[in-house]
Amino acid sequence: MHGGPHGPAPPDLEELGLDARVAAAFAPFDESGLTLGRVCKVAKGAHTVVTADGEMLAEPSVRLVKSVDGTDGMPAIGDWVALRAAEGDAQALIDAVLSRSSAFVRRDPGQSAGSQVLAANMETVLLAHALDTPLNARLLERELVLAWESGATPVVLLTKADLSDDPDAVAEEVRSLAGDVAVHVTSALDGSGVEDVGAYARRAHTIAILGASGVGKSTLINLLVGEVVREVGEVRETDGKGRHTTVDRELVVLPGGGLVIDTPGLRALALWDADVGMERAFADVYGLALECRFRDCGHGSEPGCAVRAAVEDGSLPERRLESCLSLERELAALEGARRAKQRRGAGGRGRGRPPG
Ligand SMILES: Nc1nc2c(ncn2[C@@H]2O[C@H](COP(=O)(O)OP(=O)(O)OP(=O)(O)O)[C@@H](O)[C@H]2O)c(=O)[nH]1
Ligand SMILES: [Mg+2]
Ligand SMILES: [Zn+2]
């Protein structure tokens, strides 16, 4: 983590977001003599945790690894954790991950039916898209679903305004699929819009910036801090694939006292649990579905389908319905994969829940 310009004062955990909720979650661990800390860096699987005594390297304890089911119980950037102090040269051990106020979770690309927390305990999730390429609306829709599901408030950032002829047109396009989510247009070249983004990182509040590689996440963080604390990519022709500059996750302290999480560029964003997120992100579709004659209407050829009627009269873009149905199918497939995994777990090694 990068501190302010005033040298190594002992960290004030309240400045880092410690509040009554976290304190209450930590209380039982406090009684067992554990130390409270916040994960401020995750690099190649190594965790750095900031405590009232300063920063230290820490690794998940065997107890934690054994007790969590899947990866989303493992410590992620922004997590509050209970630490067991190191003995000798050993690293401190993370014994528990405290319950999260919010978490941006995707399906783990490396695991068939596991999940992965990309950032935790933030008030705002900034979804960054660059204006030098056409808007990837399908990706933005996914991001919005998971951002709403996270429990934090989504905000859309359109970066590189200097490379676009008509940022307003793209902002309009975003509004058409993001509902009443705030949209901000920024340019690192002249700094426009940056202050508005910084306003989300009020003292002790955490914001997380997510988006594809090369959209300018780290550049924006450097502008917010006022100095280069995060490496940024070279200027290059866009090849559509992006070259990943940021490979670690870091919680950066801003001069005004807020916190911002920088993450590596997203390559894939498969859905994880997202019922709440779907209802928020597709409130237009679900609102119409309430008027369908059949409660289980699939919005196909059923009679009395209010959603189809809205597509036909032009009030609901067909593309929007297609996105919603396709994400619903993805969630159904995920549910199937999870059930299959549970069955495998329940057989063979006998770790499943007892019957009944
Ligand atoms: N013209 C222009 N270039 C920008 C702007 N913001 C960022 N860039 C450039 O875009 C490139 C990528 O910026 P980064 O900040 O490294 O992007 P990132 O989103 O952090 O990328 P990853 O770390 O790979 O995920 C760099 O060359 C930046 O200088 C902007 O507003 N305008
Ligand atoms: Mg970066
Ligand atoms: Zn219907």
Side-chain angles (χ1 to χ4, degrees):
M1 183 168 62
H2 293 272
H6 310 297
D12 175 347
L13 293 186
E14 281 172 15
E15 296 281 331
L16 296 174
L18 170 60
D19 57 12
R21 189 195 68 81
V22 174
F26 180 64
F29 300 102
D30 197 13
E31 282 168 22
S32 328
L34 300 193
T35 303
L36 176 64
R38 190 166 190 199
V39 177
C40 63
K41 191 166 179 129
V42 182
K44 293 200 184 99
H47 299 80
T48 307
V49 177
V50 53
T51 72
D53 296 327
E55 288 183 20
M56 59 188 75
L57 274 174
E59 59 186 355
S61 69
V62 172
R63 181 194 313 194
L64 175 63
V65 173
K66 278 192 174 157
S67 70
V68 301
D69 172 27
T71 41
D72 64 354
M74 295 300 283
I77 189 73
D79 264 330
W80 287 97
V81 296
L83 284 177
R84 200 167 286 279
E87 283 172 33
D89 291 340
Q91 281 183 22
L93 294 177
I94 300 172
D95 245 358
V97 175
L98 305 186
S99 74
R100 297 164 174 139
S101 64
S102 67
F104 191 99
V105 189
R106 71 170 167 185
R107 186 172 180 178
D108 189 336
Q111 254 199 321
S112 58
S115 63
Q116 184 185 40
V117 177
L118 298 185
N121 298 315
M122 61 277 163
E123 276 72 26
T124 311
V125 176
L126 306 176
L127 305 170
H129 287 252
L131 287 163
D132 59 343
T133 52
L135 181 71
N136 185 340
R138 304 288 83 78
L139 175 61
L140 178 57
E141 283 167 345
R142 279 171 186 279
E143 290 171 344
L144 285 164
V145 169
L146 293 183
W148 279 121
E149 183 76 25
S150 76
T153 305
V155 168
V156 177
L157 286 190
L158 297 174
T159 61
K160 308 194 186 184
D162 52 284
L163 297 178
S164 166
D165 294 333
D166 198 352
D168 291 342
V170 184
E172 237 358 271
E173 191 186 348
V174 169
R175 284 190 195 98
S176 76
L177 56 86
D180 48 13
V181 170
V183 183
H184 293 275
V185 176
T186 62
S187 168
L189 221 58
D190 62 8
S192 59
V194 174
E195 238 175 84
D196 295 340
V197 174
Y200 288 99
R202 296 205 306 277
R203 185 187 157 270
H205 274 223
T206 302
I207 65 178
I209 309 189
L210 299 174
S213 182
V215 299
K217 300 179 294 296
S218 302
T219 302
L220 185 64
I221 290 173
N222 288 339
L223 286 172
L224 291 171
V225 176
E227 59 180 294
V228 176
V229 296
R230 300 289 293 164
E231 195 193 334
V232 302
E234 303 279 303
V235 180
R236 64 189 149 82
E237 291 295 304
T238 310
D239 56 8
K241 286 184 219 136
R243 201 178 53 194
H244 290 242
T245 301
T246 300
V247 290
D248 59 356
R249 300 167 191 283
E250 188 168 13
L251 180 70
V252 176
V253 183
L254 300 178
L259 303 138
V260 52
I261 293 175
D262 191 13
T263 58
L266 288 174
R267 271 179 228 268
L269 197 62
L271 296 186
W272 188 245
D273 288 333
D275 289 353
V276 174
M278 285 292 287
E279 273 178 37
R280 290 299 294 264
F282 289 95
D284 48 354
V285 179
Y286 290 108
L288 285 163
L290 293 175
E291 310 295 320
C292 292
R293 187 173 307 161
F294 301 110
R295 273 191 62 189
D296 60 351
C297 183
H299 319 310
S301 52
E302 293 89 342
C305 174
V307 175
R308 271 275 146 219
V311 170
E312 265 140 43
D313 74 19
S315 53
L316 179 72
E318 178 148 35
R319 191 58 258 208
R320 190 109 182 109
L321 174 59
E322 282 169 11
S323 291
C324 181
L325 293 176
S326 131
L327 292 171
E328 280 181 350
R329 281 192 295 274
E330 181 176 325
L331 282 170
L334 167 68
E335 205 36 59
R338 286 169 77 176
R339 273 200 298 269
K341 188 182 178 184
Q342 259 170 18
R343 279 196 299 275
R344 282 197 303 276
R349 291 194 270 162
R351 280 194 293 121
R353 254 184 260 150

